[in-house]
Amino acid sequence: MALCLTYPAGAALIAGGTGRVGEGCVRRFAQAGVPLVFTYNGNAAKAHALESELRAAGHRVHAVPMALTDGAAIDAAMARAVELGGGRMHAVVSAGGPLMPFARMADIDEGALDRFFAEDAMGALRLFRRGVAAMRGTGGGTLTACTTIANYRVVDFDGASPFAKGSVEALIRQIAAEEAGAGIRCNGVAISWVSELTAEEQIADMAVLPEPDRGHVVALIRQLAAQTRLRRPASILEAGDLFAYLASDQASYLTGQTIRLDGGFSL
């Protein structure tokens, strides 16, 4: 018998719905019948194309612009989700993060790292503290953050990501402990390699990058390809499946956890 996921009444907010993981989340939540607002920050054309496609299929989906550095924009997106959900938002997903600098930690420009940390780690705090406020007294809900497999195994030239995402995982545990009494669950998904392309196709796409950036990204992709036990990346829908499960009624006893979606990379 297939497991049929069910959800509380209300809507979901997916932050970062045009990235690979974000698109998978948007598609899976929509297919499960969850009314949702998803956000984008820069790729308006992709956001509106995805919105139009899903609306044409009968799904209640709205795309809105939002930056995780902008508290007012987060407030507006959440208000839209609450309105769409008839007065309740039961799920908030942070489905990605900003572009990160790939280099050895001692070589990364400090200004670039400051900006990355402010948007990624502090962005998760801005999003989740508002999500908690919206869910308290409404029956609770779920918060789910995208983190990184580099919190569990060193990835070449990828030190910036776990530097910020380690903070996000600490935030997940703290919120899970503090808000359990309000019926709010908080979890994470440690993402490794998510793509619809093979490793060689991804490397070919990197040809436009200048050096040393290209060499750093190619080394990272080759490490993932060589050390992922399942010998392939996850599809965007496989990523969406896990986020959709964590927000469902069927995951009601899971909180404070970060689950690794890594095809065995961290083994």
Side-chain angles (χ1 to χ4, degrees):
M1 179 182 296
L3 176 63
C4 181
L5 299 180
T6 59
Y7 296 86
L13 173 68
I14 298 175
T18 56
R20 290 190 297 270
V21 173
E23 181 184 346
C25 292
V26 169
R27 291 185 179 281
R28 285 312 200 207
F29 275 74
Q31 290 165 1
V34 177
L36 65 96
V37 171
F38 74 90
T39 75
Y40 61 93
N41 184 18
N43 199 340
K46 181 175 180 179
H48 293 309
L50 180 59
E51 177 189 55
S52 296
E53 176 196 338
L54 293 174
R55 282 189 180 183
H59 303 300
R60 297 176 64 195
V61 175
H62 297 272
V64 299
M66 189 192 83
L68 287 173
T69 53
D70 186 343
I74 297 172
D75 290 337
M78 286 197 175
R80 185 77 177 272
V82 170
E83 179 184 15
L84 181 64
R88 185 181 182 208
M89 177 183 65
H90 67 77
V92 173
V93 173
S94 179
L99 292 175
M100 65 195 75
F102 292 106
R104 293 179 177 176
M105 289 300 287
D107 298 331
I108 294 177
D109 177 76
E110 287 188 17
L113 194 55
D114 275 342
R115 292 188 294 273
F116 175 70
F117 197 91
E119 186 171 349
D120 195 63
M122 290 301 297
L125 175 62
R126 290 184 196 98
L127 183 70
F128 279 6
R129 70 193 302 269
R130 288 167 169 81
V132 166
M135 291 174 184
R136 284 175 177 165
T138 68
T142 65
L143 309 167
T144 311
C146 177
T147 74
T148 177
I149 203 61
N151 283 341
Y152 301 92
R153 178 172 184 170
V154 171
V155 179
D156 294 340
F157 303 109
D158 191 27
S161 178
F163 182 63
K165 294 297 190 185
S167 297
V168 175
E169 290 194 9
L171 176 67
I172 287 167
R173 293 189 297 272
Q174 199 72 23
I175 290 178
E178 293 172 351
E179 302 300 332
I184 297 171
R185 297 187 293 110
C186 190
N187 293 292
V189 177
I191 293 293
S192 177
W193 186 22
V194 177
S195 180
E196 301 303 299
L197 303 177
T198 67
E200 293 307 316
E201 288 170 336
Q202 290 175 69
I203 288 169
D205 277 355
M206 298 299 117
V208 298
L209 290 179
E211 295 292 353
D213 296 344
R214 181 184 180 278
H216 293 164
V217 175
V218 168
L220 184 155
I221 292 170
R222 292 204 184 282
Q223 182 186 0
L224 292 172
Q227 297 175 1
T228 297
R229 298 292 178 134
L230 293 184
R231 301 301 182 200
R232 65 171 180 85
S235 72
I236 65 170
L237 293 180
E238 286 174 319
D241 285 336
L242 184 49
F243 282 87
Y245 171 71
L246 288 171
S248 73
D249 296 327
Q250 284 66 41
S252 60
Y253 203 61
L254 280 174
T255 195
Q257 307 301 308
T258 298
I259 299 174
R260 306 175 196 180
L261 183 74
D262 72 345
F265 176 77
S266 62
L267 292 175

